[in-house]
Amino acid sequence: MSENIQQKIESLREELHQHNYNYYVLDNNTISDFEFDEKLKELQELETAHPEFFDANSPTLRVGGGITKNFPTVRHQYRMYSLDNSYDFDDLEDWEKRIIKTIDEPVEFVAELKYDGASISILYENGKLSQAVTRGDGFQGDEITNNVRTISDIPLTLKGDFPDRFFIRGEIYLTRKNFDKINKIREEEGLDLFMNPRNTASGSLKMQDSGEVRKRGLSAVLYQYISDEFPGDTHWEILAKAKNWGFRVSEDQAKLCKTLDEVKEFITFWDTERHKLPFEIDGIVLKVNSLKQQRQLGYTAKSPRWAMAYKFKAEKVETELQSVSYQVGRTGAITPVANLKPVLLAGTTVKRASLHNEDIIKKLDLHEHDFVYVEKGGEIIPKIVGVNVDKRTHLQTPIEYIKNCPECGTELVKIEDQAIHFCPNELHCPPQVVGRMIHYVSRKALNIENLGGETIEQLYREKLVENPADFYTLTKEQLLPLERMAEKSAQNILDGIEKSKEVPFEKVLFGIGIKHVGETVAKKLVKNFSTIDELKNATLEELCQVEDIGMKIAVSITDFFQNSENILMIERLKSYGVQLEKGENTNEVLSHVLEGKTFLFTGKLSLFTREQAEEMVEKHNGKNISAVSKNLNYLVVGEKAGSKLKKAQDIGTITILDEKQFLDLIG
Ligand code: AMP
Ligand code: ZN
């Protein structure tokens, strides 16, 4: 029986690895997303029921779930060097001359894109991904294996004829599309926006929850093989081999150049074409193709002599500042925007530039009608990088930052550590009121599909809705007179609103828009407080006991419940039948052996992930709690358990188990 299950698990794993490779590397999908998900689900269920067949490289672990509290430091077996930079063709010619001095035979170059992300070194042993480490200072970096496993472009197991043990290096990056998607969600959730894809990619790699890393949608490309032995004589050959083992390699957009002229052609082409790529590059990397020649050239103290980065110049133009306007975001944050005389930059017409905040305006010493330099660097929105003061007359006055909200007149407040101004009139400032309702109906909240932003704005202008509770009293007679509203769409909206009464508490809690309470925090709160009233009555101390909830979030929650308008809204939502309590646990229960018992997992687990463990507890009718206290019955400890173990030992009444003993308990 168990042998059959093991076989089944292994064949599912193999099949899913192959589909992943077809999809991400070959770009040739042979099964539907639905079928893929079904198979993945099947595997996940088998693995949960049979933790003894755990494999750190199972495709199910791509979905993440493992939590890393501290990333251990790992020394690189082969140092990760930087690259020398060049900025024009003269620099390149000098480089070629230096090479020719050492090598008196023809030299070929591989020209690759210089991907703008975070570099990574991945160790493969016996065809399995075994460790991934960030560049760090080049000598040592952080081990982020769990997070890297969630990136679909990176194979967990290899195919074909690969060496037993080698490192492969590459870049982890975010496409512009995924970057925009992340920021859109952050905007909806009232979080600060990220500045550029590069920083977001490297920040994502350091998140503790690998499930969250997965959601970021990172991409990866590999461009360097390192080991004591090489499976070929040239860089170009090895890239082709690595592709066959299952890697997405730089070769796809690279060129093998026989002369420096060909290199220059490649650079000129990509200097303009790069704007059409779905991701950002900041230059071109050139590598001497022959490994023998590479060895002859060797390294300087900082970088290989056989490689060179060519950096593109950030494009810069001069234009006139026509005015500064101020946008009030859905969260009340004020963004100053420079309105410019339209000008062509990096292939697009630019009319506006972000000014970010008052400090930047002051630093630029911006005056009305200044001529400004606008640049498009790593950031998506162009920015003003300087002023042509020669063109300024003594009649121009400095730009004065506004004191009051342009939408509602309320005096703005400045949050010191963020250098940003906010309109504090959360409940009545029009964009904030509308923003809150749009957030309420959004997909991850109440998911009221047919009620879009424009309709909500209209309803608000007509004074039909002012907060989410008002949706539930809307009638067809009120909807029909709106622009472009037919009988059918009005009915769909009403049906959607009605259906939202079934949406579970955690989504409602996310939807009502308490500052800093995002999707994940809402989930954690619902685990600890099963009704909105329990949450309302919770003290700051009680809130801070919840995993991942600190003072900032706790204060925001108690503030929310101190406002009588919010209380009224909640009471109304309750009276309309919106879910403000945790529903019956619909999860299938396998047994009652853990009935009434509480569990907490600590340390590095090796037989199962924390999420799988907690799921097992729930399936056997136990309860997970998040802190060590007298209420805890069992502490399950993995490797390197720390303060929680000590605290549990001090309390004395808590049973301490290792992972195996825990499995015995339920099996
Ligand atoms: P820099 O950070 O400017 O010293 O440039 C070196 C970095 O460029 C490396 O650490 C890599 O992260 C990155 N890089 C991007 N694309 C490539 C590529 N095709 N080959 C080598 N390095 C690359
Ligand atoms: Zn306002």
Side-chain angles (χ1 to χ4, degrees):
M1 169 73 181
S2 101
E3 224 165 74
N4 273 342
I5 288 173
Q6 186 173 12
Q7 269 171 10
K8 177 82 194 156
I9 287 180
E10 274 164 16
S11 83
L12 274 169
R13 281 177 186 157
E14 203 173 305
E15 196 184 337
L16 289 165
H17 281 310
Q18 181 63 40
H19 287 308
N20 200 68
Y21 173 75
N22 292 348
Y23 185 77
Y24 287 99
V25 180
L26 302 183
D27 203 5
N28 176 20
N29 213 2
T30 53
I31 100 175
S32 72
D33 288 356
F34 176 76
E35 282 172 287
F36 185 90
D37 287 345
E38 287 293 295
K39 286 189 196 291
L40 193 68
K41 216 155 59 193
E42 186 184 353
L43 177 58
Q44 209 147 26
E45 275 162 14
L46 286 172
E47 286 179 348
T48 309
H50 298 274
E52 65 274 22
F53 300 131
F54 176 82
D55 175 359
N57 284 320
S58 168
T60 53
L61 293 178
R62 287 227 191 260
V63 300
I67 306 278
T68 316
K69 282 275 182 232
N70 292 302
F71 299 102
T73 305
V74 173
R75 235 190 138 65
H76 292 297
Q77 187 179 335
Y78 303 91
R79 181 174 159 194
M80 288 180 86
Y81 284 89
S82 318
L83 293 175
D84 265 347
N85 287 325
S86 56
Y87 299 91
D88 53 40
F89 290 169
D90 287 348
D91 291 346
L92 289 186
E93 280 160 21
D94 289 345
W95 178 55
E96 191 188 33
K97 276 185 205 139
R98 290 200 298 275
I99 291 175
I100 292 171
K101 263 193 206 156
T102 315
I103 310 232
D104 54 4
E105 53 181 9
V107 178
E108 288 180 342
F109 302 97
V110 175
E112 298 169 9
L113 304 185
K114 189 167 187 300
Y115 304 89
D116 202 9
S119 46
I120 186 85
S121 168
I122 313 177
L123 171 64
Y124 282 83
E125 289 177 303
N126 302 313
K128 295 206 182 301
L129 188 160
S130 87
Q131 189 179 55
V133 181
T134 63
R135 179 170 184 279
D137 62 3
F139 295 99
Q140 52 183 34
D142 295 328
E143 201 227 287
I144 53 167
T145 316
N146 272 339
N147 287 349
V148 166
R149 283 204 176 98
T150 68
I151 302 172
S152 309
D153 288 339
I154 295 179
L156 301 176
T157 60
L158 303 180
K159 315 178 301 125
D161 188 20
F162 45 80
D164 288 346
R165 184 174 188 279
F166 66 91
F167 293 88
I168 194 153
R169 293 177 182 170
E171 203 81 357
I172 292 179
Y173 63 90
L174 256 180
T175 58
R176 297 180 218 266
K177 198 169 121 205
N178 282 354
F179 173 73
D180 291 343
K181 211 151 85 187
I182 292 169
N183 264 349
K184 194 155 164 264
I185 293 172
R186 290 183 72 81
E187 194 176 355
E188 278 174 16
E189 293 184 5
L191 300 168
D192 293 333
L193 298 192
F194 291 133
M195 286 287 271
N196 61 45
R198 182 199 337 112
N199 294 352
T200 313
S202 51
S204 302
L205 287 176
K206 292 290 192 59
M207 288 198 296
Q208 292 184 342
D209 183 345
S210 59
E212 291 297 311
V213 180
R214 172 77 182 171
K215 287 189 203 148
R216 292 274 165 99
L218 296 165
S219 304
V221 57
L222 286 312
Y223 47 63
Q224 200 77 44
Y225 172 97
I226 311 234
S227 177
D228 286 340
E229 279 179 51
F230 288 82
D233 297 327
T234 64
H235 177 56
W236 191 247
E237 257 172 78
I238 296 176
L239 284 181
K241 287 209 165 139
K243 185 171 177 171
N244 287 333
W245 304 331
F247 292 106
R248 246 196 85 202
V249 291
S250 50
E251 185 208 34
D252 291 349
Q253 283 138 335
K255 186 166 184 239
L256 177 60
C257 302
K258 300 240 183 279
T259 63
L260 202 63
D261 280 340
E262 280 182 49
V263 168
K264 290 179 189 169
E265 236 171 70
F266 185 85
I267 291 176
T268 310
F269 174 78
W270 283 108
D271 196 0
T272 51
E273 207 65 12
R274 66 184 158 124
H275 303 299
K276 295 185 195 151
L277 285 168
F279 50 83
E280 306 212 324
I281 62 173
D282 62 338
I284 297 293
V285 178
L286 306 170
K287 295 169 186 168
V288 168
N289 189 31
S290 147
L291 299 187
K292 190 182 106 212
Q293 293 176 355
Q294 286 190 5
R295 275 189 289 271
Q296 283 174 293
L297 288 161
Y299 294 81
T300 69
K302 266 183 53 226
S303 43
R305 290 199 187 85
W306 47 264
M308 178 61 84
Y310 180 95
K311 291 257 182 142
F312 292 132
K313 282 183 214 46
E315 285 183 58
K316 192 156 99 176
V317 287
E318 187 187 310
T319 189
E320 190 190 343
L321 172 70
Q322 294 181 320
S323 64
V324 174
S325 50
Y326 298 85
Q327 293 174 343
V328 186
R330 301 203 186 285
T331 60
I334 309 291
T335 321
V337 176
N339 299 303
L340 306 168
K341 184 156 182 241
V343 62
L344 201 65
L345 173 66
T348 49
T349 304
V350 173
K351 294 186 204 128
R352 286 137 78 77
S354 165
L355 285 166
H356 297 299
N357 59 44
E358 183 181 21
D359 294 355
I360 287 177
I361 297 177
K362 283 210 174 119
K363 217 165 96 197
L364 289 166
D365 187 27
L366 213 54
H367 284 50
E368 279 168 2
H369 296 284
D370 265 342
F371 278 82
V372 294
Y373 300 117
V374 185
E375 197 176 280
K376 212 167 192 176
E379 278 77 40
I380 296 291
I381 307 163
K383 63 179 182 192
I384 296 181
V385 292
V387 174
N388 184 349
V389 281
D390 294 342
K391 289 198 182 164
R392 187 185 286 162
T393 69
H394 63 280
L395 295 174
Q396 284 168 250
T397 53
I399 300 284
E400 278 266 3
Y401 206 85
I402 48 165
K403 300 255 176 316
N404 294 81
C405 174
E407 296 279 348
C408 72
T410 306
E411 194 174 332
L412 300 179
V413 291
K414 186 167 174 183
I415 301 200
E416 277 313 326
D417 62 344
Q418 292 180 25
I420 285 178
H421 287 76
F422 277 91
C423 166
N425 186 16
E426 273 171 49
L427 295 179
H428 300 286
C429 178
Q432 298 189 64
V433 172
V434 170
R436 185 151 85 137
M437 290 189 282
I438 292 180
H439 170 73
Y440 185 82
V441 304
S442 65
R443 195 169 44 86
K444 290 186 167 173
L446 280 283
N447 192 18
I448 306 183
E449 271 176 24
N450 298 296
L451 191 51
E454 271 177 41
T455 312
I456 292 178
E457 269 168 29
Q458 276 193 63
L459 287 167
Y460 174 67
R461 261 183 274 131
E462 302 291 328
K463 300 205 168 36
L464 292 170
V465 293
E466 208 185 15
N467 76 52
D470 295 331
F471 292 138
Y472 297 90
T473 54
L474 281 174
T475 62
K476 203 183 262 180
E477 289 66 41
Q478 289 174 322
L479 287 172
L480 281 174
L482 300 183
E483 284 164 43
R484 273 173 293 157
M485 183 66 66
E487 172 84 23
K488 178 116 199 299
S489 27
Q491 190 56 49
N492 283 344
I493 290 177
L494 293 176
D495 291 347
I497 293 172
E498 190 57 31
K499 220 173 97 198
S500 76
K501 294 178 184 171
E502 289 158 25
V503 169
F505 180 31
E506 57 186 45
K507 296 201 169 186
V508 180
L509 186 56
F510 168 61
I512 57 178
I514 305 175
K515 232 192 204 126
H516 308 306
V517 177
E519 223 189 332
T520 323
V521 170
K523 269 191 197 142
K524 298 221 157 113
L525 286 170
V526 170
K527 271 197 177 161
N528 289 269
F529 304 95
S530 33
T531 69
I532 193 95
D533 290 326
E534 273 179 38
L535 184 62
K536 182 173 86 183
N537 297 328
T539 62
L540 283 178
E541 290 71 36
E542 284 165 343
L543 289 166
C544 287
Q545 297 256 311
V546 178
E547 189 190 356
D548 287 348
I549 294 196
M551 228 2 161
K552 188 166 110 180
I553 301 178
V555 167
S556 163
I557 295 170
T558 51
D559 280 356
F560 180 90
F561 288 110
Q562 250 146 46
N563 182 301
S564 55
E565 288 184 53
N566 288 333
I567 301 286
L568 180 63
M569 174 183 78
I570 301 274
E571 290 307 320
R572 285 180 59 205
L573 288 174
K574 249 193 228 167
S575 73
Y576 303 134
V578 175
Q579 299 297 315
L580 290 161
E581 293 185 4
K582 191 149 104 182
E584 288 295 300
N585 199 349
T586 48
N587 275 350
E588 167 204 9
V589 172
L590 295 176
S591 87
H592 292 267
V593 290
L594 305 183
E595 181 93 54
K597 298 283 189 271
T598 56
F599 287 81
L600 178 63
F601 296 81
T602 186
K604 194 171 164 207
L605 302 176
S606 56
L607 295 182
F608 33 70
T609 67
R610 194 157 307 219
E611 244 174 36
Q612 288 169 339
E614 290 178 352
E615 198 176 316
M616 285 188 266
V617 169
E618 278 166 20
K619 289 214 157 140
H620 294 278
N621 241 11
K623 194 173 167 217
N624 295 294
I625 61 178
S626 59
V628 177
S629 74
K630 287 202 197 83
N631 301 332
L632 181 65
N633 301 121
Y634 293 96
L635 183 74
V636 183
V637 295
E639 239 178 273
K640 296 201 190 126
S643 63
K644 284 189 180 148
L645 175 57
K646 191 165 174 304
K647 199 166 165 201
Q649 284 163 337
D650 289 347
I651 291 178
T653 55
I654 300 168
T655 311
I656 294 166
L657 302 177
D658 64 20
E659 292 172 76
K660 271 233 152 66
Q661 290 168 321
F662 167 72
L663 290 178
D664 290 343
L665 209 58
I666 60 177

